[in-house]
Amino acid sequence: MQITPDNKLKKLIVVGDRLLIKPLKPEEKTATGLFLPPGVEEKEKVRQGYVIKAGPGYPIPLIADEDDVWKGRDEQVKYIPLQAKEGDLAIFLQNASTEVLYQKEKYFIVPQSAILMLEREEEL
């Protein structure tokens, strides 16, 4: 399969309660017009970016009944879904995230518990 800009992230599978986030480009100037030196965003505790992919959620343990030992374990794992969805703008704690480089682009892998706030475009 040829990797193109349209399908380069389709091969990625995010596991568990984690999110793949594309960070927004940090501001180069303050509101008053002062230029910020490179590396200032690394000292920030809170970052923001768009959710590109989301994991399935928190796995629910299977209930093991002693009467059902003969049934087998063909049941699928069930998950509690995450609040964050693809396309959401997420504000998250940078200390809890892991920075990764994939196809020469910077992403963050962030657990759901590190998300502070979400902004969604859909109407309430």
Side-chain angles (χ1 to χ4, degrees), residues 65 69 118:
D65 290 336
V69 173
L118 295 169

Side-chain angles (χ1 to χ4, degrees), residues 50-97:
Y50 286 99
V51 176
I52 303 297
K53 289 197 138 230
Y58 300 99
I60 300 172
L62 295 174
I63 299 172
D65 290 336
E66 293 174 12
D67 296 338
D68 295 340
V69 173
W70 57 272
K71 284 187 179 179
R73 298 290 173 196
D74 294 340
E75 300 176 22
Q76 294 291 327
V77 177
K78 295 183 177 141
Y79 295 93
I80 298 173
L82 301 176
Q83 251 183 316
K85 296 180 182 173
E86 294 177 9
D88 289 350
L89 176 66
I91 298 172
F92 61 94
L93 295 170
Q94 182 169 328
N95 292 345
S97 65

Side-chain angles (χ1 to χ4, degrees), residues 4-5 7-10 15 18-19 26 35-38 42 54 60-61 68 73 83-84 86 89 95 111 123:
T4 64
N7 70 0
K8 72 178 183 177
L9 295 174
K10 290 187 185 212
V15 296
R18 290 172 180 77
L19 304 162
F35 283 96
L36 297 171
E42 286 141 12
I60 300 172
D68 295 340
R73 298 290 173 196
Q83 251 183 316
E86 294 177 9
L89 176 66
N95 292 345
E123 298 286 327

